[in-house]
Amino acid sequence: MARITLDPITRIEGHLRIDVEVNGGSVSNAWSSAQMWRGIETILKDRPPQDAWIYAQRFCGVCTTVHAISSIRSVENALKVDVPLNAQYIRNIIMAQHSVQDHIVHFYHLSALDWVDVVSALKADPKKTAQLAQSISNWPGNSETEFKAVQQKLKSFVETGRLGIFASGYWGHPAMKLPPEANLMAVAHYLKALDYQRKAAQAIAILGGKNPHIQNLCVGGVATAINMENLATLNMEKIAALKALMTETRDFVQQVYYPDMVAIASIYKEWFKYGRGVVNYLAVPELPEDTKNTKFALPGAIINGGDIKKARIITNHQDLDLIANIKENVSHAWYEGNSTLHPWDGETKPNYTDFQDNGKYSWCKAPRLDGKPVQVGPPAQLFAAYAGGNEKVKKLVDASCAKIGVGVNDLHSTMGRLGARAIRAHLMADYSLEYLDKLLENVGKGDKVYANPTEIPKGEYKGVGFHEAPRGTLSHWMVIENRKIKNYQAVVPSTWNASPRDDKGALGPYEASLVGNPVAVADKPLEVLRTIHSFDPCIACAVHTIDPEGKEITNVKVM
Amino acid sequence: MKTLIFGAGNLLLSDEGFGVHFIQYLQKHYVFPPEVTLYDGGTLGIMVSHMLEDADQVFLVDVIEAKGEPGDIYRYEKDDFMLGKLPIKMSPHQIGIQEVLALSEIRDRCPEKITLFGIIPASYEAGAELSPLLSGKLPGLAELLVAEIVASGTPVEKCC
C-alpha cells in the first residue's frame, strides 16, 4: 500500500491538500484537507447588514459576484423585501454571464491539461487538426492557418525550455490518450478561450459597474438606473454592446467549448465510471422570475442515493425543511469540540492540531443535509432541473448523452461533472440573452423600477440568501440585531464538496469520489487531479502572494 | 503610452490586500490622465489577463514571499519574475501571475515593460485594514511609482 500526499493541489483557487492510500493501482482511502483558516466571516460582525455584500464578495478570489448575490439575498430574505422584476433580470444576466466566464476558465485553464497532452500537440498535422475541428463544429476560427500558428508558437516555447508555464503537466503519462490532432485543437482553443472569458467579464462590468467586484447591488434591487435616452444609465448603446458581447460568448461556448467537451468525453469514456462518490445532491432554485423569489426558471431539488426519479423538488427559497436541515459538523475539522450547529448558531473557534487521519485534519467544516453528506455543483443543478421538468435542460442533457454514448446515470462521475459544466455553460449563455430580451420588454412596457429602497429596522431578524453558483449551492446566513450583524456564516459549494469526515465517519464528496479511482504511476497521480479538478475546487478564501524568488512549491509526496 | 497600475490581493486579509489598498490610496491622492488605468484586480489571476494584455506598460503591486523584513519593498522587472527561468514553478493559487504573463506571451500580447513592486507583509490576519507598518509604506511607494510614470512622459497631479 502506498500513501500519496498532494500538497497543494494546483490549478485551483486556495490551498487544498489531498491524501490517498493506493492499493493495487487504485485508491482505497482518501482525505481532503483545506489548508487555510477560514474565519473571514468574523470581519462582518457588527457591520451594517446592507454593506455586508461589499465585503462578502472579497471572500473568494474568483467567485466575487456570487457572494455579493448571496449576501444581499440574505438581508432581503430576513426583512422580506421584494425585488423588482428589472432588478431580478439584471441580476440573472450577471449570474449567467459569471457562470459562463467561470465554466470557460475551469474547462480550458484549470482542468483541460489533465486530459490534453501539450507536448503531443507538436506532432499534430495542422491540416488534419482543422479537418477534425471542422467535423465537430462550424466555428469560423477552426482554420489550418490558426492551428499552424499555434503549433509554431508552442514549438518555440518548447525549444527555449519554457513549456513549464502549463504547470506540472504530466506529459506522456500513460493515462493521456487524445491523438495529437485533438491535443493541438484543444491547445489552440485554450489560448483563444482567454478572449471569450474576457467578453463575459466585460458584460458583467457593463451591468455591475465594475468587474471584478460589482458595484450595483442594493438591498431591494440594483442601483443600475435604466433610461434609454440617458448617457449615464443603462441605455440603448450599452444594451447593444452587452448583446454583442453575450452573443459572441454564446457562440464560443456553443461552437467551441461544448463540442470540445463532447469530443474529449467521447475519447475518455471510461471516466464516466470513476469519481462517483457521494450521490446525494442538493441544488437550490435559480434565475428568479418574479418579485418574491417564488418562481424560478431552474428548480432545485434534494436527491438521495443518485435516484433522480425520486427527487424532492424545491420550488422556492423559503423551503423551511431545507432551511432547518442544513447543519455543519466539526468533529474532523480544526475547530473546538465536535458540535453540529445550524449556520445561524454557527461558531468559528479554531483548534489546530496537526494532520490526524482519525482525528482533526482540515479547516473545512463538514456541512450536512438531514445528517448526510451532499454533493453540489452543475450535475446537481442539471439533475434537479431534469427531474423538475425543465425542457431546455432535458433536451440538452439527453442530446449530450446521446452524442457521447452514455446515459444520464453515467453523469454521476468525474467526466459527468466536466460534461455538466459544459451543458450548464451552454444553457447559461442562452439564458443571458433571454433575460436581456425580457428586461427590454419589461422596460418597454413602462416598468422603470429597479429597487425597493429598504431601511434596516430595529429588532432581531434572521435570513438566508441561497444562490445556485457555478460551483453549486451557496448560502449566506445572517442574524441581524438592532441594525447590526450579530452572526454571519457562509456555507459555500466547496465546503459541501471538500468536506472532511463527519461525526458518523461519512466521507465528504471529494474523499468518496477518489475511492476506486485508478492511479497508474504513484509519483504522477494525474488521475487524482482529474477527479478533484472535476469539482472545480475553490477553497473559500483567497490569498495572492507572489513568490518571485521561485521556490518549487508543488509537492507530491509518496510514502 | 497606455499604463496599467494593477493592485492585487485580498482586501479581507489585512496586508494581503496591500495592492488593493495601494490603488485606493492613488485614487484618493492623485489625478491620473485617461491613458493610466488604476485597477483593483483582487485575486483573480487568469480572469484578468486581458487587463495586462491591453497595456503598453504595467506596474504590478502585490505582497511577495521573499527574504527580508516585513515592509521591505522589492522591485522586479519582467525578466526577473517571468517563468522562463523557472520551468517547473507553480503557484498554489488558481494560476499565478507568472503563468498568466507567459500565456500572454504565447498569444503575442504580453506588454514589453512590466514592473513588480513587491512588499513583504507583516500580517495575514482577517481584517479589512493594513497593519500600521504597511499602511505607512503607501505614500512613499505612491511617490516613487508616480515619479516613474511622470518620467515616462505621462503627467500626473497630486490632489491632496
Side-chain angles (χ1 to χ4, degrees):
Chain A
M1 187 181 67
R3 166 85 171 230
I4 303 174
T5 301
L6 279 115
D7 183 23
I9 295 279
T10 52
R11 274 183 277 127
I12 67 164
E13 181 71 46
H15 194 150
L16 174 71
R17 164 178 165 176
I18 294 288
D19 286 51
V20 289
E21 278 174 5
V22 179
N23 252 324
S26 85
V27 174
S28 53
N29 205 350
W31 292 262
S32 157
S33 168
Q35 290 280 302
M36 273 158 53
W37 153 244
R38 237 208 70 186
I40 224 159
E41 293 109 327
T42 55
I43 294 175
L44 288 166
K45 221 177 158 194
D46 294 331
R47 291 192 192 267
Q50 66 273 27
D51 292 350
W53 68 277
I54 296 171
Y55 293 91
Q57 69 172 331
R58 301 269 183 174
F59 275 9
C60 166
V62 282
C63 345
T64 56
T65 60
V66 305
H67 290 295
I69 296 275
S70 241
S71 181
I72 209 89
R73 282 181 174 171
S74 71
V75 189
E76 288 163 355
N77 174 267
L79 304 176
K80 304 201 169 15
V81 182
D82 285 2
V83 180
L85 268 188
N86 290 332
Q88 297 284 42
Y89 292 149
I90 287 173
R91 289 181 185 182
N92 287 353
I93 300 169
I94 289 176
M95 289 184 268
Q97 284 292 296
H98 174 79
S99 290
V100 167
Q101 182 187 21
D102 204 84
H103 294 331
I104 291 175
V105 170
H106 175 257
F107 177 63
Y108 286 105
H109 307 108
L110 303 180
S111 60
L113 300 180
D114 297 342
W115 311 90
V116 173
D117 189 331
V118 177
V119 174
S120 146
L122 296 173
K123 287 183 282 194
D125 175 348
K127 194 175 173 184
K128 283 190 189 152
T129 306
Q131 281 164 0
L132 167 72
Q134 288 160 14
S135 76
I136 60 171
S137 165
N138 53 3
W139 195 58
N142 286 331
S143 68
E144 188 186 338
T145 329
E146 171 72 22
F147 293 124
K148 211 170 188 165
V150 168
Q151 197 182 39
Q152 273 308 321
K153 198 74 204 175
L154 270 183
K155 261 187 188 141
S156 66
F157 259 71
V158 173
E159 278 157 15
T160 51
R162 299 174 70 186
L163 204 69
I165 56 144
F166 287 113
S168 48
Y170 291 130
W171 322 129
H173 192 286
M176 289 284 192
K177 53 189 263 198
L178 291 187
E181 281 70 27
N183 282 315
L184 179 57
M185 177 181 81
V187 171
H189 293 165
Y190 170 107
L191 294 171
K192 208 70 201 165
L194 282 172
D195 292 334
Y196 290 87
Q197 66 81 28
R198 168 214 199 137
K199 290 179 201 288
Q202 286 172 319
I204 294 167
I206 289 176
L207 288 172
K210 187 168 168 278
N211 187 43
H213 317 120
I214 53 170
Q215 303 292 305
N216 70 322
L217 295 185
C218 62
V219 177
V222 294
T224 314
I226 304 163
N227 181 339
M228 294 303 161
E229 278 85 47
N230 189 324
L231 279 180
T233 57
L234 191 58
N235 53 34
M236 273 333 275
E237 197 187 336
K238 285 186 191 161
I239 299 273
L242 193 59
K243 190 159 191 166
L245 288 166
M246 298 197 310
T247 307
E248 284 182 76
T249 318
R250 179 201 60 192
D251 292 349
F252 180 80
V253 166
Q254 298 183 354
Q255 295 173 24
V256 182
Y257 170 14
Y258 176 75
D260 281 359
M261 184 63 238
V262 169
I264 289 177
S266 306
I267 294 173
Y268 284 107
K269 235 158 117 176
E270 72 276 18
W271 280 89
F272 286 99
K273 289 193 306 235
Y274 303 126
R276 184 177 162 93
V278 171
V279 288
N280 308 318
Y281 294 94
L282 167 66
V284 290
E286 196 46 273
L287 303 175
E289 296 187 329
D290 69 348
T291 60
K292 292 183 188 302
N293 286 333
T294 57
K295 193 172 163 258
F296 291 84
L298 293 165
I302 296 168
I303 294 166
N304 284 310
D307 192 346
I308 300 166
K309 290 198 181 95
K310 288 193 188 143
R312 176 168 94 71
I313 304 297
I314 303 170
T315 55
N316 63 61
H317 286 184
Q318 285 88 39
D319 192 296
L320 294 179
D321 268 351
L322 173 66
I323 291 171
N325 288 321
I326 292 177
K327 289 180 184 152
E328 295 189 292
N329 176 267
V330 296
S331 297
H332 291 274
W334 285 313
Y335 300 95
E336 283 179 16
N338 56 3
S339 60
T340 304
L341 295 174
H342 189 273
W344 278 326
D345 308 316
E347 292 174 348
T348 308
K349 294 179 183 160
N351 172 34
Y352 183 75
T353 64
D354 47 6
F355 192 103
Q356 301 171 336
D357 283 5
N358 299 313
K360 291 179 182 281
Y361 62 89
S362 176
W363 283 115
C364 186
K365 294 178 184 176
R368 294 295 183 260
L369 179 64
D370 296 326
K372 284 182 281 203
V374 159
Q375 186 185 147
V376 300
Q381 190 182 33
L382 295 186
F383 292 147
Y386 197 95
N390 179 298
E391 281 306 317
K392 286 182 193 173
V393 169
K394 199 165 179 311
K395 222 171 125 186
L396 259 175
V397 170
D398 287 342
S400 314
C401 287
K403 265 187 200 148
I404 299 166
V406 294
V408 175
N409 284 323
D410 292 315
L411 297 178
H412 306 287
S413 60
T414 297
M415 195 53 86
R417 277 183 288 274
L418 291 170
R421 281 199 157 70
I423 294 171
R424 190 174 184 274
H426 191 300
L427 190 71
M428 289 297 164
D430 279 340
Y431 272 125
S432 302
L433 286 155
E434 199 172 294
Y435 284 111
L436 185 61
D437 288 343
K438 284 192 170 155
L439 175 67
L440 292 177
E441 195 190 317
N442 197 49
V443 173
K445 278 187 203 155
D447 180 359
K448 301 274 170 70
V449 182
Y450 47 87
N452 292 321
T454 305
E455 293 285 320
I456 310 289
K458 278 207 151 199
E460 189 180 289
Y461 300 88
K462 286 178 176 178
V464 54
F466 285 113
H467 171 35
E468 191 61 24
R471 290 176 181 77
T473 300
L474 170 65
S475 53
H476 280 219
W477 305 75
M478 189 188 286
V479 182
I480 302 169
E481 193 178 59
N482 290 330
R483 303 193 176 112
K484 282 185 177 166
I485 294 171
K486 190 177 160 195
N487 198 2
Y488 202 101
Q489 293 286 327
V491 183
V492 310
S494 291
T495 44
W496 284 104
N497 289 339
S499 138
R501 289 149 169 79
D502 58 27
D503 50 335
K504 296 172 202 131
L507 272 58
Y510 288 2
E511 299 177 331
S513 73
L514 286 169
V515 175
N517 205 98
V519 177
V521 188
D523 63 350
K524 287 181 181 158
L526 172 64
E527 301 93 333
V528 172
L529 285 181
R530 284 180 174 172
T531 292
I532 292 298
H533 281 158
S534 73
F535 287 94
D536 195 1
C538 186
I539 309 301
C541 75
V543 173
H544 189 275
T545 308
I546 292 186
D547 177 12
E549 293 174 7
K551 293 192 295 288
E552 188 196 331
I553 41 186
T554 309
N555 188 9
V556 177
K557 196 166 128 202
V558 183
M559 286 199 307
Chain B
M1 181 154 44
K2 275 177 82 177
T3 301
L4 174 71
I5 308 174
F6 187 110
N10 190 329
L11 205 56
L12 301 186
L13 296 173
S14 52
D15 289 348
E16 156 68 24
F18 183 81
V20 179
H21 286 284
F22 183 72
I23 295 296
Q24 291 173 352
Y25 182 88
L26 291 181
Q27 280 165 341
K28 202 168 151 194
H29 296 282
Y30 292 89
V31 181
F32 290 88
E35 65 265 35
V36 179
T37 303
L38 302 184
Y39 194 65
D40 160 8
T43 54
L44 261 83
I46 196 156
M47 284 180 162
V48 290
S49 61
H50 51 272
M51 290 303 295
L52 303 168
E53 292 183 348
D54 278 350
D56 302 312
Q57 66 170 351
V58 176
F59 294 96
L60 286 167
V61 179
D62 201 353
V63 283
I64 52 164
E65 264 186 40
K67 288 194 191 84
E69 298 295 316
D72 287 356
I73 299 178
Y74 291 89
R75 179 197 178 107
Y76 303 85
E77 300 300 339
K78 187 174 169 185
D79 282 347
D80 297 329
F81 66 95
M82 286 295 276
L83 266 172
K85 297 201 289 190
L86 307 157
I88 44 171
K89 197 180 103 59
M90 180 70 192
S91 159
H93 315 303
Q94 204 195 18
I95 289 191
I97 197 78
Q98 289 108 325
E99 293 143 278
V100 169
L101 294 174
L103 274 181
S104 294
E105 281 219 317
I106 296 194
R107 284 156 50 84
D108 282 328
R109 311 246 185 103
C110 189
E112 277 306 304
K113 185 172 157 49
I114 301 175
T115 306
L116 163 67
F117 287 102
I119 188 163
I120 301 179
S123 166
Y124 277 157
E125 292 297 304
E129 310 282 318
L130 284 178
S131 67
L133 177 68
L134 263 69
S135 183
K137 300 285 178 181
L138 292 170
L141 182 60
E143 264 180 50
L144 193 135
L145 201 149
V146 165
E148 199 149 321
I149 292 173
V150 171
S152 75
T154 305
V156 181
E157 281 171 44
K158 189 153 191 195
C159 61
C160 41

